[in-house]
Amino acid sequence: MTTRSIEATGAAGAAAPRIDGRLKVTGQARYAADEMRPNTAHAVFLTSAIAKGRIATMDLAAARALPGVLAIFTHENMGGLVREPTFFGAGGTASTVQRPLSGPEIQHEGQIIAMIVADTLEAARDASFRIAVAYEEQKPTATLDSEGIDVRAAKEIKKTHEDPKAGDFAKGIAAAQSRVDGEYRTPIQHHNAIELFSTTCEWSGDELTIYEPSQFVYGLRAGMAEQLGIDPQRIHVINPYVGGAFGSKGSVTPRTALVAIAARQLKRPVKLVVTRDQGFTVTTYRAETRHKVTLGARQDGKLTAYSHDGWELTSRIDDYMVAGTEGATRLYAAPNIATHVSVVRADRNTPGFMRSPPEVPYVYALETAMDELAVALNMDPIELRRVNDAKKDPITGMRFTSRSLMECFDAAAKSFGWSEHDRRPGAHRDGDWLIGWGCASTLYPAQMSPAAARVRFDHTGKARIEIAAHDVGTGAYTVIGQMAAERLGTDLKNISVEMGDSTLPAGPVAGGSITTASACNAVAAACDAIRRKLFAAAVKSEKSPLSGQKPATLDLVAGRVVGASGAGQGLDKVFEKLGAGVVEEYAEWIPHEATPAGMQKTYQGGVSIVGGPMKDRTAYAFGAELLEVRINTYTREIRVPRIVGAFAGGRIINPRTAHSQLMGGMIWGISSALHEETELDLGAARYINDNLADYLVPVNADIGEVEVIFVPEEDKLVNPLGIKGIGELANVGTAAAISNAVYHATGTRVRKLPIRIEDLL
Ligand code: MOS
């Protein structure tokens, strides 16, 4: 018997290069906007210049007169054509209930007010500049403390919401020997994936094909069926590659129905590529938040009480909220916990998911407050976390499926060289540079959803995997292929993976970091059905060393079915006995505590994610981030020369792609701490820096050493394969760690993000 190492085969566990890497770097991977159907017409949006009021008149004459202009859609000729979408928060798929071009009312700056379709992009764009719009303008409400906000308790607008609590906060805080109170702020952020938002629609009779970057092709199909009032079976969504999403391409935005209707009316394919600046308002973003955190502790550091009040911005018309107290309250063993989330309505477009939507703002606030507590107690911040490490879920009392937070701190501290150091602010310097160390915990719920997959395996050892999952740049194609390579005992190079197409078996939404766990468990289930068929045939082969053996003792290794002794039979012989050339199996995987209807719901474009706190267990991935900042004494320039993150995410299927996810997460965390903020014109409720020149993101020169450590973790409870998602784990703790290091370097506690030079002057 010949066996080859996991690295040689590329099976699960190998640091395999991406199977789609070559296609991507050679430009052969076709992204949605690369599709150019014959006779395509081009659409361009005109968006509102005001945030609140109504359109009085629109003069289209000059635009219509331009050669090549085919149609101009406004509320006057489009009203009522798009049916009311169901908000994803209410079980639908839509990012907003706004019906585009349905009337003259303006609900936010940058709202779609016209769509021009022309033979060429140039003509459509030119026409968009020639539409004269007169508005009746009202004074808008811009943000959290603007005049005219409408503040509601989360519970009031979402019946299923519960503010996590434990024990008796008032008693706990009264018993505290040390107490900190902090108010923290996080900014507006926009995703700014390099791939712009685009939609191309083509009708063939009453069949609609949609090319659009999507984190959920089944959701997009269902959403379009709803908004167009047609049978979902007549809609085909094709989207094999996504050039970055981060949550922005997970729900259905108002643009798609407009393009579909235009294509139907013009009887031509219509393509729309939303411009960078329009992307800030016709899709979603991370909303600004406020936090009040109180921590009480005994002199030995043990928490006696934790309270966390959060305020989050949303639009007038939708109930988007992140309510991140659910995650934050799972970090520490505080016996008395009180939380409260409020949602604040203003005249803005509806926010939405952005990488670790709840944890990023809430854990930032908590982890900064924890550092303030460590300072108040004159205690090492890692020790403070150690004495408060939760052994069970602080809210429900349930066990964690696994929890390796302190193992992460130990591994990161060792590599970083964290040891007793002078914790007084400003104590460490190197020439003109003040040096600060900071740390923070990170966590993200281990989540999953029902998923289906089809696997086709042939007698030469080649396999084809079909699943409507999505690779948003994470490496999902590769990881899913690796899982099949492991189960089928074949090489990754023998496996092809088909994804991102609504005709494939329903896979998970690429959100909530659920893809690897959900898709791999489904693919493994299909592979296991194939194994059972082959093993049953193999033991019936008379002239085979496997004859009469128990099927359950067999394995598939390197193109052979083998028994415990190592003796076996080639696949061709086993297939011969089976009387088949190919075995194909379809399997559905339903995670623990998913509703029985969850799979059906996924096929209907619904999302049924389980994980995090469950009825009988609590599943989270954890990590620790330690870093150094250097701040120039004179200019107050802030640099992050090194960051070490140690993470425990259950079984790691591909250390290479996982490393990229975690490294990228920490880089985004640095960006959150020091660079990113969408600036708001408070008078106009308008985004100012809506372009890649003014919206700051880090470049190579901003990033120093980034070290990623995998802390081994075997989790037998989270799902059969022990996989936890890691896509949204690493960007959670970073901003607090930087903020804490800035305090250590300077003695200035900045309680908002991003931290700018001017905050340290
Ligand atoms: Mo991600 S923000 O869960 O799509």
Side-chain angles (χ1 to χ4, degrees), residues 215 246-248 250 353-357 444 510-513 728:
Q215 292 171 253
F246 316 114
S248 67
F353 304 111
M354 185 165 172
R355 201 172 189 177
S356 339
Y444 192 79
S513 298
E728 293 165 276

Side-chain angles (χ1 to χ4, degrees), residues 65-76:
L66 274 183
V69 171
L70 300 167
I72 300 178
F73 298 90
T74 71
H75 66 277
E76 283 166 358

